[in-house]
Structures are given as structure tokens and as C-alpha cells.
Amino acid sequence: MLSEQLLRMEGINKSFPGVNALKDVRFEARAGEVHALLGENGAGKSTLMKILAGVYSKDTGRIIYKGKEINLPNPRAAQHLGIGIIHQELNLAQHLTAAQNIFIGREPRSLLGLMLDEKQMNEDAKKLFAMLRLDLDPRTRVMDLVVAKQQMIEIAKALSFNSGLLIMDEPTAALNDKETEELFRIIRHLKDGGVGIIYISHRMDEIKKIADRITVMRDGAWIDTVNAADVEMDQIINMMVGRKLDEMSRAPGVTGSDEVVLSVRNLNRGGFIKDACFEVHRGEILGFAGLMGAGRTEVARAVFGADRVDSGEIFICGKKVRIRQPRDAVKHGVGYLSEDRKRFGLALGMDVEANIALASMEKFLGFGGVVNRKATRKTGAQFVESLAIKTPSLAQKVRFLSGGNQQKVIIAKWIVRNSNILFFDEPTRGIDVGAKFEVYKLLNRLAAEGKTVIMISSEMLEVIRLCTRVLVMCEGRITGELSGDEITQENILRLATLREAN
Amino acid sequence: MSTIAEKPVAAASAQKFGSSATQKLLAFGSLVVMLIIFSLATPNFFRVDNMISIMLSTAVAGVLGIGVTFVIITGGIDLSIGTLMTFCAVITGVFITNWHFPVLIGVLAGLLTGSLIGCCSGVLVSKLKLPPFIVTLGMMLIVKGLSLVISGTKPIYFVDTESFNLIAMGTMLDLSAIIPDFAIPNAVLIFFGVAAIAGFILNKTVLGRYTFAMGSNEEAVRLSGVNVDAWKIGIYTLSGAIVGVAGILIASRLNSAQPALGQGYELDAIAAAVIGGVSLSGGEGTILGTVIGAFIMSVLINGLRILNVPQEWQTVVTGLIVIFAVYTDNLRRRKG
């Protein structure tokens, strides 16, 4: 059955400062179909959809909706045309009720438009919920609802605009299996009503279940559009990944010794970490792979003492340790390099020298607590040279360094601090390709020098290239361990979507 | 990884009852307890003239508190309200005493001044994306300076217009027939009137809805297609107008505009709001809560004074109460 074309986007280009996010992308969707949009993190899916929802404006290109070329200067314009979006992050005002959230910006009014007609609004919301067969009191405050219900409110909100086209950006990221089934029921219901649905997800099993057609994007470009029934999932994954594996020369393996330096047993933290157990050896680069929100950062933060855990034991070099706050972790030689360098890792307004010395000030104190500038200068100069930090001088403010060089400053900081176990959370996020390779070299060198490196990364190629052993997480559980030749994109993706059977 | 995606989880598990409601109940309970304790401690406390004196001293801080409540619920803060109140009083004084305009025109000029300055703060906050703390800190100094400039640093007395004094000190509700000496000053009635209107705006109108929505999740409101900037400017303007009312009240009560007065009032007003359960992180709060908060502050000061606690110590106790109020608020939040 070939239904009518609802949307056509062609020649879409969009760049952000420093990034060419979309390159000549095309996309089309039909009424009454579920069209899955797939690609790795950073492939440009969300950017494309935000353009379609009027959140971003395109640099060039045409959007034809229902046969007419349209302009989308703001979210409201898209809503008026009946293009609804459910963003990846929930966008609800937690303090307001379900109905108030749905009708925000177009509340029913009474008394010459001055007063809110709360009664009318609640009735309208109730009708909407009934249509979705959703059992929910419109007067419930959003903060009192579980995430799945909040998601349903977003959907109800999008539908209340009489959307002819509904974009769902990872709608099941926070849902369990049963809630996902419920969502699928609603999606099918909408589909039968002729609504076109664009569905973004990382979960291959879901795509197979719900999608009619699949479009794959990679590195900001359109790759292919296929019928879901005609392809195997392996083919799709190959399209997403693109490069053949043998193009990726693996770095000469740093295998590590047999000595276990860190052992974590039965770590639990609410719904974020479920019974995580793992060991890391001296001189090894251990990878943590998984999808967004799988719990990798949470594990690192828990070991580092940044978050309270419910239960679990941590052994460092065979000795049981209690880590209740980051200070304890640092004392035991554990370092954590946050994914958000600017927020957590650096004092941006201070210079290179000060940043390198910052975490170990007590080493540099002279008589009467005065900072020994001679010593900090020496240490700073030493690391600028050995890590090849590109900076005009030690007095350069860190703010003005490139992302890769900022990362090196943080690494220097932790080495000065005598950290032997280093967690790197997305160490190459937001830095350019050349600098990435320098960071890779540095990680290899650290491992070769006997440090233990644990790397969290969403870029599979990076994990495959660097790690001798990879743990894959899904929904807070470690779903598998891969080593040597087992570390392939296919295996990682399979484990990353291996969800707990209910 | 997505810390963003986790937020709703944490929020969803928050306590069932609106924490604002609990805080209000707690605040009201403390008020009653305080009234009982002071009444038992000294017979001079629970007397008609003292009760009227408490109400009168609550009126100005209470109106200011109501004004700032709107801004705080959006997630902002307004430090300029104390000196802006004085500025409005001075403008009114200039209109009435120096320029001999009718009282009504002078009052309108005062209210307009408040709205205008509020509007300016709103524009700076929303259009230039400056932090409210900085904008209103600057505005606090600007209007303080302007008050001194315009008045020539001298008080302006309302000598020729007796009716102006009656705005606050006259009484339209004389209950002396029922309870001897129980004549409620107009200032108190105006305070309650402002509270009622503000409560209506906050709960029943679109402006009020967006006040909460912005404080709760401004990005969500923006993505819903609402002109967030315009509404925010509207909220700051309304807040300024309410501050104008406080300016008229204080000028009328003192029968003069005192240009050096005002600084410090903003903190009492913010304290009243916070004690009454208005969340400094935005999204939560009620007018009734702020009114109760304002009463707690003045009952406390009044009671301590009657018990002959030196004024220096009264100030210390007020500080402790504010910290305690925010602490209990925090406690409940964390428990959720």
C-alpha cells in the first residue's frame, strides 16, 4: 500500500560554529506510516528533526509539507501546520498539572479572555486522554507522575495540535517494556488515523517491530531509505556504521598485566546501576560501551564517590576501601575526568600552570603556606612538554585553549595528583579529529606507563580502536564483556540493546 | 551521558503533596504558636491597639513581599524593590507637594513610576539575558540615587494635602462599635486588597500561569510557542506596580517621602516570601504564604519588643528565622 507523500525535505544544510551538522540531507515521510530515522550518536538525526519542528532554522534547503513549501521560523509555526515533536528530553513544567502542560500557550479563556478556564481545559485534556485510552487525572501535577506517564502527556500535547506529522525522538529511552508496548499501541492507533510518524530510536528490536520504512543517516548525511521488511538488521547496522572494520587499524595492543587494581562488586544505585561487577588490571584500557543513559557515567561516578550508592563493594589493589565522597577516591589514586570538561574539570579563567597544580596544592606549598611558584612552574612546564600541550605560555588562560589541549591539561592535573586509576568519560567529545588521535595516543601511553585507564565512550570506533576489553551496559546492567576480536560494532550494539526480559 | 533524562525520574518521585502547601501550613502553624506564646508571656501583647500596630507594620513589607513573589516564582529575584518603593514615594511627593497636582494624579504617577522601573528590569533580564540578581542590584542603586537627586536629599512633606495621609491612616472599616478601638487603618485594607487581586492574577489568569510555568521550566514554555520574553517583562512590570503601591502606603503613613529610607526593605520582603513557602528556585509559591510570612516577621519583631528584647537582638532572631525557614524547606525537598 503506497500512501500519499506528506513531507519532503531536500538539500538541507545546517552548520553550527565549528561543526557541519547536516550536509545536503533529504528525507520524506508518508501519511499513515512509521518512518524510523537511524544513525549513531551525532549523525544529525535530532538536528534534522529540530529543523522540522522549528527549533533550529536551516541554512539552505526546502521543506515541502502537504504539497506546499513551508517556512518554519519558530516552534509555533510548526505547531500551526500540525507538525508535532516529542523531544528527547521531556519538556514539561514539573510544577504544573498535566492539563496545564498540554495547553500551555493556548489556554482556554473566559471573562473576555482575562481568566483561565480551568474547567474547560481539564475537560479537553480528559477527552484527549480518552482518545489515547490513557487513565490519568488531568489535574495531577507532572512531578507526581512516573516518567512513562509524563511521556504520554508529551504525546497528548503533540496530538492536541491535530498533528498530521508526529516526530518522536527516542520516546522509549525512559520506558520499560510494558510502557513501550503501551506506546506502540498508541502509535498504531495514530497510524491508522493517517498520522505520519517519524521515529528515532537506538533500539533495533523496536525498529523491527514498529517501523514501516527506515532512513539511515551518518556523519550528517543521508545514506539510504529502505522498506523495513526488505532488510536485515545487520545491514542497517552496517549502514549506520559505514566504514568497514578493517579500515580501523587497531593500535598495537596494550594488554595490561594480570594484577587487578580495581575490583567492583555488586554495585547498586536505584534504577541507574543494577548489580554491576567488574575488575580492571594494571596497564589496561577498559572500555565502557552502551547507549545514552545506559548507566556508564553513573558507574564511574559511583566508584569515584560522586553519587551515593545503595550497596556494593570496592577493592583497590586487593584492599577493601570505603569511598563516600570524591576526596576518598582521590586519596586512593582514583581520578575521574568528566564528560563536561568546562563545568567540572577546569578552572577556565585560570592559567595552564595553576590548573595543572590545582588538585595537588599541598605539594607546592612552601614556608607559611605560600605557593611555591617555582615548583608549580617547573611541573607545569614539564607537562606542557611531555603531553605536548599546545599553548603560547604557561600563563595562558585555559579558556583559550582548544578542546583537545584542555583535555590534556586535565590529564596532567590528575597525573600530578598521583592518580593510578583514571576514568575518562567521553574524553573526545567535542574535540576535532586530529586532536582525538592525540588523546588516543596519550591514553595508550598512560596505560603503557602502568596507569589503569577506564574509558566511557559512545563512539564505538574509538572503543574498538583503543580497548583491549570492553564492558557493555544496557539499562544499568552490565550485559556482557568483550575482548580481543570479539570487540566489534555488531557485538557491542547487540549487547547494548540486550534488555532485561520482563 | 544524559543527566537531563534523569531529572524527571528524580522529580517524579518527589513527594505527593505540593511542598508549597506544606510550607504554608507550617508557616501558619508557627504564626499561631507565636501569637499564643507572646500572649501568654505578656498581657500587653494581645491587645487591640497592639494588634492594629502589628497589622500596620505588616502592610508595607507585605505589599512588597507580594510584588517580589511574582518575580521569585519565575525563578528570578528583585533586589530593587526597597529603594524603588522610596523612589515611587518621592515621585508622588514631587507631583503633589512641589508641583501641586491633585492627590490622585500624584498617586498614579507613583504607581506608573513603579511599573516603568519594573518594566526596565524585565527588559534587561529577558532581552539582554542578564541575571536578575545583577540587573536589580544595579536598579536598586540607580533608583536610590535618583531619589536623592530628585528630592535634593531632603524629605518631601505632604503639608498641604491632608487627604494624602488618610490613604493609609484613615479608616473605612471602623469596628469600634463591636470591639472598642478596633478601627482598621486603610493601609491594612489596601494590603489585603492587593493580596486578593494578586492571588487572583497568580491563580486564575494567563499571566499567573506563565509565572509558574517559567519558573518551573522556561525552555518548555518557549518550545510551546509562548513569547516568554514579553510575559516576563509583564511580570516584572506588575511587580513594579505593586511596589508602587507600597511606596504610596509608606509615604502616606509617614506623611512624607523620605529619600534615604528603603534599603533593607527588599530583604524583609524576600524573607517574608521565603518563610511563606515561595521557592527561590522558582515554580512554587502562593500569595497567602507570603502574607503569612510577612505577619510572622512583624509579630516576631513586635513580640520581642514588648518583651523588652533589645533591638539588636531582634535583628539577630529575624536572621535565624529566615535561615531556619529555608532549611526546613530544603529538608522537605531532599526527602522527596
Side-chain angles (χ1 to χ4, degrees):
Chain A
M1 181 187 73
L2 197 74
S3 51
E4 59 174 314
Q5 191 179 58
L6 187 64
L7 168 83
R8 199 166 79 240
M9 301 173 85
E10 38 184 49
I12 306 287
N13 279 288
K14 173 79 187 172
S15 43
F16 296 106
V19 199
N20 211 348
L22 295 177
K23 291 164 234 164
D24 203 21
V25 173
R26 66 179 123 145
F27 183 78
E28 52 116 15
R30 299 174 190 148
E33 80 163 345
V34 176
H35 193 140
L37 184 55
L38 301 183
E40 283 195 289
N41 291 335
K45 299 163 297 185
S46 290
T47 308
L48 184 69
M49 290 303 113
K50 280 187 174 160
I51 287 174
L52 188 52
V55 179
Y56 294 155
S57 56
K58 58 185 180 338
D59 295 342
T60 59
R62 300 203 313 152
I63 304 174
I64 292 118
Y65 181 65
K66 291 187 174 164
K68 275 194 290 251
E69 179 161 0
I70 55 169
N71 252 323
L72 299 166
N74 53 45
R76 175 155 272 190
Q79 284 167 357
H80 275 305
L81 288 165
I83 299 173
I85 182 164
I86 298 159
H87 292 278
Q88 197 169 354
E89 318 88 46
L90 288 171
N91 273 292
L92 297 170
Q94 297 286 332
H95 295 93
L96 302 190
T97 68
Q100 287 168 353
N101 265 291
I102 291 173
F103 292 102
I104 202 160
R106 56 210 164 97
E107 296 81 357
R109 318 256 180 110
S110 60
L111 203 91
L112 305 168
L114 276 176
M115 261 179 79
L116 294 168
D117 191 343
E118 206 84 5
K119 219 173 118 197
Q120 181 69 44
M121 190 166 76
N122 286 331
E123 265 169 34
D124 290 351
K126 211 173 226 163
K127 273 183 218 150
L128 216 50
F129 292 159
M131 198 181 85
L132 293 171
R133 281 190 282 158
L134 188 62
D135 180 28
L136 187 69
D137 185 342
R139 290 166 302 178
T140 322
R141 289 225 284 184
V142 166
M143 60 165 65
D144 298 328
L145 294 170
V146 297
V147 178
K149 281 274 162 65
Q150 296 189 7
Q151 188 82 60
M152 298 300 175
I153 292 173
E154 288 270 27
I155 293 169
K157 181 176 170 181
L159 287 178
S160 68
F161 289 97
N162 293 321
S163 298
L165 182 64
L166 191 54
I167 305 159
M168 297 185 177
D169 195 348
E170 303 220 32
T172 56
L175 305 189
N176 65 28
D177 279 352
K178 202 169 144 242
E179 292 159 346
T180 302
E181 274 312 315
E182 188 60 21
L183 177 69
F184 284 177
R185 181 184 63 70
I186 289 168
I187 289 178
R188 289 192 190 102
H189 175 76
L190 295 173
K191 197 174 120 169
D192 294 342
V195 177
I197 290 159
I198 303 173
Y199 189 92
I200 299 179
S201 176
H202 278 298
R203 297 182 171 166
M204 294 298 152
D205 50 335
E206 283 177 5
I207 303 294
K208 199 78 200 164
K209 240 187 234 172
I210 195 82
D212 299 309
R213 284 196 301 164
I214 297 172
T215 290
V216 177
M217 286 180 73
R218 189 175 70 228
D219 298 333
W222 175 86
I223 301 298
D224 203 358
T225 299
V226 294
N227 283 323
D230 301 345
V231 289
E232 291 300 317
M233 275 302 129
D234 286 351
Q235 284 170 265
I236 296 290
I237 290 174
N238 278 337
M239 273 194 258
M240 282 166 62
V241 173
R243 288 143 286 199
K244 287 221 180 76
L245 280 184
D246 44 66
E247 285 172 31
M248 289 293 307
S249 57
R250 187 171 297 175
V254 196
T255 38
S257 65
D258 296 337
E259 186 192 346
V260 175
V261 285
L262 171 71
S263 162
V264 173
R265 289 189 203 152
N266 305 94
L267 197 65
N268 278 291
R269 183 185 151 223
F272 302 112
I273 306 170
K274 293 174 195 153
D275 227 21
C277 298
F278 64 92
E279 289 184 339
V280 203
H281 304 103
R282 180 178 300 282
E284 170 181 47
I285 302 182
L286 174 71
F288 264 95
L291 303 172
M292 303 274 245
R296 300 166 299 167
T297 294
E298 285 74 5
V299 167
R301 287 178 60 92
V303 174
F304 189 60
D307 294 321
R308 267 284 176 70
V309 295
D310 304 331
S311 64
E313 294 178 313
I314 296 169
F315 297 83
I316 289 175
C317 297
K319 263 196 301 213
K320 186 172 172 185
V321 293
R322 293 195 68 178
I323 295 177
R324 298 162 76 182
Q325 46 186 336
R327 222 175 46 203
D328 303 334
V330 170
K331 235 186 296 171
H332 287 110
V334 179
Y336 172 64
L337 288 81
S338 157
E339 60 189 312
D340 194 341
R341 295 188 287 276
K342 293 191 174 140
R343 262 179 65 207
F344 302 115
L346 289 168
L348 287 172
M350 293 172 77
D351 60 28
V352 174
E353 178 189 331
N355 268 285
I356 291 177
L358 202 58
S360 343
M361 281 320 288
E362 69 278 1
K363 282 191 185 175
F364 300 107
L365 291 184
F367 178 72
V370 181
V371 176
N372 182 350
R373 281 293 302 275
K374 224 167 150 186
T376 58
R377 214 171 296 149
K378 195 175 145 219
T379 308
Q382 192 187 319
F383 278 98
V384 165
E385 204 207 310
S386 71
L387 302 186
I389 300 173
K390 280 193 207 84
T391 173
S393 79
L394 278 176
Q396 175 75 311
K397 292 212 164 83
V398 170
R399 184 196 314 279
F400 301 116
L401 298 187
S402 72
N405 283 303
Q406 288 182 346
Q407 189 67 277
K408 287 181 186 174
V409 171
I410 303 179
I411 294 172
K413 184 172 103 174
W414 285 106
I415 299 176
V416 173
R417 178 78 234 193
N418 280 339
S419 299
N420 292 317
I421 303 169
L422 292 165
F423 283 91
F424 287 85
D425 200 346
E426 305 284 359
T428 60
R429 175 172 292 172
I431 65 184
D432 62 59
V433 181
K436 275 184 188 178
F437 281 94
E438 290 218 30
V439 171
Y440 297 157
K441 265 196 276 177
L442 193 52
L443 293 185
N444 270 323
R445 208 180 97 193
L446 290 174
E449 284 169 8
K451 307 260 182 211
T452 301
V453 176
I454 299 156
M455 183 178 74
I456 296 168
S457 174
S458 296
E459 283 189 39
M460 278 189 274
L461 294 174
E462 182 168 293
V463 172
I464 293 169
R465 189 184 165 83
L466 280 173
C467 302
T468 38
R469 208 154 56 88
V470 175
L471 297 173
V472 187
M473 290 190 72
C474 176
E475 296 176 349
R477 292 173 307 119
I478 294 177
T479 47
E481 178 183 327
L482 303 167
S483 61
D485 292 338
E486 293 163 15
I487 308 177
T488 64
Q489 310 218 14
E490 289 78 5
N491 279 339
I492 292 175
L493 261 180
R494 183 175 53 78
L495 290 171
T497 53
L498 194 69
R499 310 175 60 193
E500 205 163 11
N502 273 21
Chain B
M1 248 165 9
S2 58
T3 36
I4 304 159
E6 286 162 27
K7 250 196 213 148
V9 184
S13 62
Q15 67 273 43
K16 267 268 182 276
F17 303 100
S19 56
S20 173
T22 350
Q23 177 80 6
K24 213 164 49 186
L25 222 66
L26 199 80
F28 188 69
S30 339
L31 182 60
V32 171
V33 169
M34 261 162 49
L35 286 172
I36 292 172
I37 290 176
F38 283 131
S39 303
L40 293 177
T42 162
N44 293 331
F45 179 77
F46 204 76
R47 280 177 19 192
V48 171
D49 59 339
N50 193 42
M51 286 300 118
I52 287 176
S53 148
I54 286 176
M55 284 198 267
L56 199 56
S57 62
T58 311
V60 170
V63 171
L64 277 183
I66 291 167
V68 81
T69 294
F70 281 90
V71 173
I72 297 179
I73 293 177
T74 66
I77 192 83
D78 192 341
L79 299 176
S80 69
I81 52 174
T83 56
L84 176 56
M85 170 185 81
T86 302
F87 187 53
C88 296
V90 166
I91 294 289
T92 304
V94 168
F95 266 72
I96 295 174
T97 302
N98 298 9
W99 295 348
H100 306 291
F101 276 103
V103 168
L104 182 67
I105 301 289
V107 167
L108 287 178
L111 296 180
L112 201 69
T113 304
S115 319
L116 218 81
I117 300 291
C119 181
C120 287
S121 297
V123 169
L124 292 174
V125 167
S126 58
K127 293 294 180 193
L128 300 189
K129 313 270 173 246
L130 298 174
F133 187 93
I134 300 300
V135 167
T136 59
L137 181 69
M139 204 54 93
M140 170 175 99
L141 297 171
I142 290 171
V143 294
K144 180 182 173 186
L146 287 179
S147 297
L148 293 168
V149 169
I150 291 173
S151 65
T153 72
K154 284 192 222 32
I156 303 172
Y157 293 95
F158 296 90
V159 276
D160 316 320
T161 45
E162 254 175 65
S163 62
F164 186 72
N165 186 234
L166 293 178
I167 294 177
M169 303 310 287
T171 179
M172 295 205 303
L173 188 66
D174 195 341
L175 302 175
S176 318
I178 310 164
I179 309 165
D181 299 327
F182 198 61
I184 299 177
N186 287 339
V188 176
L189 300 178
I190 292 172
F191 168 38
F192 288 151
V194 168
I197 294 169
F200 176 82
I201 293 175
L202 196 55
N203 294 315
K204 300 286 178 196
T205 70
V206 182
L207 184 87
R209 174 63 39 79
Y210 292 159
T211 306
F212 282 110
M214 273 185 232
S216 182
N217 186 346
E218 190 169 321
E219 190 56 20
V221 183
R222 198 186 308 276
L223 289 175
S224 301
V226 175
N227 187 344
V228 171
D229 289 355
W231 285 102
K232 199 179 262 180
I233 293 169
I235 291 163
Y236 276 85
T237 307
L238 173 68
S239 164
I242 297 173
V243 172
V245 173
I248 307 295
L249 284 183
I250 195 160
S252 165
R253 209 179 102 194
L254 303 173
N255 208 23
S256 62
Q258 303 280 348
L261 201 80
Q263 201 156 11
Y265 274 72
E266 67 280 345
L267 298 181
D268 285 346
I270 292 168
V274 170
I275 291 174
V278 181
S279 164
L280 281 175
S281 47
E284 274 186 281
T286 57
I287 297 298
L288 183 58
T290 299
V291 169
I292 293 171
F295 269 110
I296 287 183
M297 301 271 290
S298 49
V299 164
L300 191 73
I301 294 289
N302 179 284
L304 293 175
R305 189 181 303 144
I306 288 184
L307 290 175
N308 289 322
V309 174
Q311 196 181 347
E312 305 83 282
W313 284 106
Q314 294 170 18
T315 316
V316 173
V317 172
T318 320
L320 291 175
I321 294 288
V322 170
I323 292 173
F324 180 73
V326 177
Y327 173 69
T328 54
D329 189 46
N330 246 348
L331 219 57
R332 274 180 302 103
R333 239 171 263 281
R334 242 181 289 154
K335 234 187 326 191

